[in-house]
Amino acid sequence: MTELKTDRFYINGEWVKPLGETMMDVINPASEEVFAQVAMGTPADVDAAVAAAKAAFPSFSRTTKAERLDLLASIREVYQSRYDEMSALITEEMGAPISLSDRAQAAVGIGHLDGVVKALEAFDFEHQNGPGDLIVHEAIGVCGFITPWNWPINQIALKVIPALAAGCTMVLKPSELTPMNALLYAEILHEAGVPKGVFNLVNGDGPGVGAAISSHPDVAMVSFTGSTRAGVEISKAAAPTVKRVTLELGGKSPNVLLDDCDFEEAVKRGLRHCFQNTGQSCNAPTRMLIPESHYETAMEIAKEVAEATEVGLPSQTGNHIGPLVSQMQYDRVQNLIQAGIEDGARLVAGGLGRPEGFNRGYFVRPTVFGDVTNDMRIAQEEVFGPVLVMISYQDDEDAVHIANDTPYGLAAYIQTGASEESKARGLAMARDIRAGMVHLNGSDISFGSPFGGYKLSGNGREGGQYGIEDFCEIKAISV
């Protein structure tokens, strides 16, 4: 693995010295030890990066679709050659077990690129509307990207790749908790031949760099993934310059088990999905809705699955879960587990503290709560840890009501029986649930399908055609 330039920013095709002097520790969440330090940016660094992107925009926005497809093919080739480095970095800085990093965390950098390439090949940047109007999709301009730590390359790729496909230039601020994978990604883009100034990277925190990007008058669009609270602040900062803002925010996704589904399989699948990535996924199915007649049985199954869930070191291969990303996240999860206990929920499995055998690292116990009502904090707030709440419902109408009784609307999950009638019932329920993505019977959306949500889960869509469209202005030319 090459040594990353942690004391530099990537601006205008070069690794440049920051204008400030602040450095920040990067901590391995399994050991709580510092393994790197990265430079922290200032608004002046953002100004330099935006200026480079602005200067590069006129020429890059006029490149042809064929030229941009060639560039994406080059990025794919270089990314693949450094795949193992990417996977190892995500494991070290974020705590994802190496098997998860190999098959998912790093893999999405290829998957999303392939989805965008397929969409770009079919994308029509110009078409006629009626006898005389030419409708043109044009690159929106300089874009600012602020990305999270939980699926770091996933969110970087979902922004950078479609923006390149549309002909935009950009400035990226990755999470200060997981900056290493972004530095490697900058090296990949450089090696792939991305023209200077098209992609720029400035590390830093929200107040120092994120706010400067959000409010910058030369940034035409901000795309943010993270907490709803931060998304609101970014929207406020962007408002005076009337720039486009797209947001992919939090979730509290329901998982509805219909009364004729295979409960053994559905509960097991639901828990494993909720606990994947140590529960640090915005679309995790964290509220399991069970018909009253099957509620006690479902809790017994959930208890067995949770207690059998292994917690282990990220460096070890296997299907175990790893630590949370930081001390702050660990404390938040512990506080919400405590809130569930105090609110009267039944602790089916797990609870406070570290799992047995761990006295350091941000490891938590896989936790399940029963007897949860939808007005409890643990049913309404995004925990972002391996914590499942189980809620009973009376009939399909009640299940839909509970599923929609949340400020979020990112994803939803429905488990049906095997009959065509039950599947049709699940599809009807999917149409009634207010969420951007609904998954039936363990299915997942394809690379290139729209990712995003309703309500406080954000606005805009990422991936494929919809991601490219988000980075375009639309011009009507009447002839």
Side-chain angles (χ1 to χ4, degrees):
M1 183 183 295
T2 59
E3 186 173 345
L4 298 173
K5 301 172 181 65
T6 58
D7 61 342
R8 295 289 187 270
F9 300 145
Y10 185 74
I11 297 175
N12 204 32
E14 298 179 349
W15 291 98
V16 302
K17 187 176 180 180
L19 298 175
E21 297 181 354
T22 303
M23 302 290 289
M24 180 174 176
D25 293 339
V26 184
I27 297 173
N28 182 316
S31 65
E32 302 184 45
E33 294 178 352
V34 175
F35 73 92
Q37 284 192 320
V38 294
M40 298 292 279
T42 66
D45 293 299
V46 173
D47 288 342
V50 172
K54 183 179 179 181
F57 178 74
S59 60
F60 188 70
S61 63
R62 293 190 182 98
T63 54
T64 66
K65 182 164 76 170
E67 289 171 328
R68 297 198 293 275
L69 283 168
D70 286 345
L71 180 60
L72 295 181
S74 179
I75 293 171
R76 191 189 198 283
E77 182 180 359
V78 178
Y79 187 99
Q80 190 66 62
S81 72
R82 306 192 71 174
Y83 189 97
D84 291 344
E85 292 178 69
M86 182 63 72
S87 181
L89 278 174
I90 293 173
T91 289
E92 187 169 22
E93 65 182 340
M94 188 249 157
I98 188 62
S99 297
L100 178 65
S101 290
D102 284 343
R103 71 172 184 263
Q105 286 276 7
V108 293
I110 296 288
H112 288 309
L113 189 149
D114 289 346
V116 170
V117 165
K118 184 178 179 180
L120 180 58
E121 289 172 340
F123 198 88
D124 190 359
F125 284 90
E126 296 187 5
H127 70 273
Q128 290 290 140
N129 184 40
D133 291 349
L134 179 65
I135 309 302
V136 181
H137 286 75
E138 295 182 343
I140 192 170
V142 177
C143 300
F145 300 148
I146 303 171
T147 56
W149 47 262
N150 61 319
W151 286 87
I153 280 297
N154 181 75
Q155 293 308 135
I156 290 173
L158 273 173
K159 299 180 193 306
V160 170
I161 298 302
L164 290 174
C168 294
T169 59
M170 63 211 71
V171 178
L172 167 67
K173 187 207 88 68
S175 169
E176 61 271 31
L177 296 179
T178 55
M180 307 297 283
N181 69 92
L183 291 168
L184 176 57
Y185 200 67
E187 290 190 358
I188 290 169
L189 297 184
H190 181 85
E191 186 179 344
V194 173
K196 68 176 186 177
V198 171
F199 172 84
N200 305 273
L201 181 148
V202 178
N203 277 313
D205 58 17
V209 174
I213 290 174
S214 303
S215 61
H216 203 290
D218 290 331
V219 171
M221 173 181 173
V222 174
S223 179
F224 169 76
T225 300
S227 71
T228 297
R229 176 197 56 76
V232 169
E233 293 305 312
I234 286 168
S235 298
K236 290 178 180 178
T241 51
V242 198
K243 57 172 57 69
R244 183 178 301 173
V245 178
T246 60
L247 304 169
E248 197 274 282
L249 307 175
K252 195 69 181 177
S253 301
N255 183 12
V256 182
L257 278 58
L258 298 187
D259 54 13
D260 59 350
C261 76
D262 182 336
F263 276 86
E264 183 87 16
E265 173 60 27
V267 173
K268 286 181 178 178
R269 184 168 62 219
L271 254 78
R272 288 168 181 160
H273 193 172
C274 177
F275 291 168
Q276 183 195 40
N277 205 40
T278 318
Q280 299 170 121
S281 298
C282 53
N283 60 343
T286 52
R287 290 185 299 147
M288 185 176 288
L289 277 54
I290 305 115
E292 290 179 346
S293 58
H294 294 271
Y295 191 63
E296 290 296 331
T297 299
M299 281 195 291
E300 291 175 7
I301 299 169
K303 177 180 175 65
E304 293 176 5
V305 176
E307 292 179 346
T309 299
E310 295 182 6
V311 180
L313 295 174
S315 57
Q316 297 173 333
T317 59
N319 293 322
H320 56 278
I321 66 174
L324 297 171
V325 74
S326 67
Q327 182 70 53
M328 181 182 295
Q329 192 62 24
Y330 178 87
D331 292 342
R332 172 176 170 76
V333 171
Q334 295 298 309
N335 287 337
L336 282 167
I337 292 174
Q338 181 64 44
I341 295 170
E342 292 175 354
D343 287 345
R346 187 199 310 185
L347 190 60
V348 174
L352 296 166
R354 292 183 175 91
E356 186 177 348
F358 291 91
N359 58 13
R360 65 185 307 179
Y362 310 124
F363 296 92
V364 295
R365 301 171 66 189
T367 298
V368 177
F369 281 106
D371 295 343
V372 175
T373 56
N374 213 42
D375 57 349
M376 292 182 180
R377 281 185 64 194
I378 52 171
Q380 290 292 320
E381 294 186 27
E382 187 175 38
V383 179
F384 234 56
V387 178
L388 177 78
V389 301
M390 306 184 76
I391 303 171
S392 66
Y393 71 86
Q394 298 175 359
D395 52 27
D396 287 8
E397 183 179 357
D398 188 37
V400 170
H401 170 74
I402 295 170
N404 288 335
D405 183 22
T406 169
Y408 299 108
L410 185 57
Y413 302 79
I414 301 171
Q415 318 304 323
T416 77
S419 69
E420 293 303 315
E421 180 183 1
S422 183
K423 292 177 182 177
R425 185 176 150 208
L427 184 58
M429 180 177 287
R431 297 183 187 279
D432 289 335
I433 292 177
R434 301 285 293 171
M437 300 166 287
V438 185
H439 309 268
L440 272 64
N441 297 322
S443 62
D444 200 358
I445 63 172
S446 304
F447 289 118
S449 291
F451 190 102
Y454 293 14
K455 300 187 286 188
L456 291 188
S457 289
N459 53 55
R461 293 294 182 270
E462 295 185 312
Q465 169 192 337
Y466 307 92
I468 297 172
E469 288 177 351
D470 263 1
F471 291 103
C472 292
E473 287 283 21
I474 301 175
K475 178 183 289 182
I477 303 174
S478 58
V479 294

